Each structure stands twice: as structure tokens, then as C-alpha cells.
Amino acid sequence: MVDRLANSEANTRRISIVENCFGAAGQPLTIPGRVLIGEGVLTKLCRKKPKARQFFLFNDILVYGNIVIQKKKYNKQHIIPLENVTIDSIQDEGDLRNGWLIKTPTKSFAVYAATATEKSEWMNHINKCVSDLLSKSGKTPSNEHAAVWVPDSEATVCMRCQKAKFTPVNRRHHCRKCGFVVCGPCSEKRFLLPSQSSKPVRICDFCYDLLSTGEMTACQSARSDSYSQSPKSPLNDVSDDDDDEDSSD
Ligand SMILES: [Zn+2]
Ligand SMILES: [Zn+2]
């Protein structure tokens, strides 16, 4: 199906419609050989709460953005090269159903589809695109992933010292290595994680000790890859981490 559509007029037209919906702030999306596989609204688990985002799956990239006007206008475009993507199913829990993790070296997050069928369609298509790309390039799947951030609402106290209570003054921070919500004193150190940033990034003391004693490389994860959602508590939306790239998202 992919190859048949690659040079079709319909495919080119669909891609230019997506391009136009993002307007001048978006990247050009029309390149030879690129195919739009599918699109739809997914709920992205952002730092503060789950939010609807429009996703577009191409054969080589995954694009998403905020919905300004459904099917007409999107902004805040993000482009993820599929070659480095790994996905993992998430078990249903409470209101958060039909989800999976999208993991990349620079950023990892959870998304949720409206139905189980949609979820399996998305996951199958993404996996197919990734494996096609890897078999074409001869590369091996990426095993280096940024931590999935634990949402703010999951932690009322620091997940490392278990003591510091979060307040408007004592704000939440995220360790870039394990994704835990931690207090300032537990995350004063910085460490260079080249896949995430050219500058040293905030990490918790626990991860710092492991990284600096060489017990863990910058590529390994400080916690198991299994990621579960605990039942939602009322949103404890008191903090604004200045180093949160998702804060405006
Ligand atoms: Zn702490
Ligand atoms: Zn950590």
C-alpha cells in the first residue's frame, strides 16, 4: 500500500493539506518518497494533564501538533524521525485506556487512542514503518531512550527523598534520567546526557551517583522500562518548572 501511494497525486495532495494546516511556522513536509500513512487525534499525557493532539504518521516521521481548528489549523508542530522510535503498549488503568509509549532518544511520552482497535492500528502501522526504515538502512533498533516523565499529579511529595512536600514555593522538577518528580535539593546536580541536550541537564542524586560511579551509562535507564499509571488524583497543578519544555504544551 505504501509503495503504491508513494507517487500518487492523492498522496501529494494530502501531504500539502497537512503542511498548510500548520501554516508558515511548520516545516515543509513534502519530500520525494514520503507517504502519509494515517492521521488522527490521540490524547498525549503531558506534564500537567492529558491533552488532545493531532498526529500524522508518515512512512519516515511522526508529526503532531496542537489542534486550533479541527482539520483546518494546527500549531506547535513536533516532528519525530521514526527510525529512532520504539513503542510499548501500556496496560489500561482507570480512565487512561488504549495507550502506548512513544520512546525516542530525545523525548518519550505516552499517548492514548479512543478505542482498542485504533490503538492496535496505530501501533501496527508505526511498527511496520519503523521496521521498513531499519531494514532499508541496515541499522539496528534504537535502545537509547529519554525517560518518560511521571506526570506532576502523580507526586505530592518528592519521589526520591519521600519527604519534601510540593507547594507553590517548593516546586516540582523532573530528573531527565529516570523521569521521577523530585524536589530541588534532590536534583541540584547536572549531567551531560548527549542524546537529550548539548548542555548538562537536571538529574536526581540517585541517578547522579549511578552515572558518576559508572554503574550506569548515560544510555541506560535508571528504572525499569515498565511504566504504569496510578489512579488519577485531583490535579495538583501548583508548579511551573522553568526547565519544563512541555510547560507551554
Ligand atoms: Zn527530594
Ligand atoms: Zn533520576
Side-chain angles (χ1 to χ4, degrees), residues 38-43 53-57 63-65 67 70-71 74 118 122:
E39 63 181 277
V41 177
L42 297 174
T43 300
R53 296 286 182 258
Q54 184 75 29
F55 280 77
F56 300 92
L57 178 65
V63 176
Y64 69 92
I67 302 162
Q70 183 61 258
K71 296 201 185 289
Y74 309 114
E118 264 184 57
W122 273 101

Side-chain angles (χ1 to χ4, degrees), residues 160 175 177-180 203-204 206-207 222:
R160 284 301 179 201
C175 170
K177 188 66 211 166
C178 64
F180 278 19
I203 60 167
C204 71
F206 176 82
C207 290

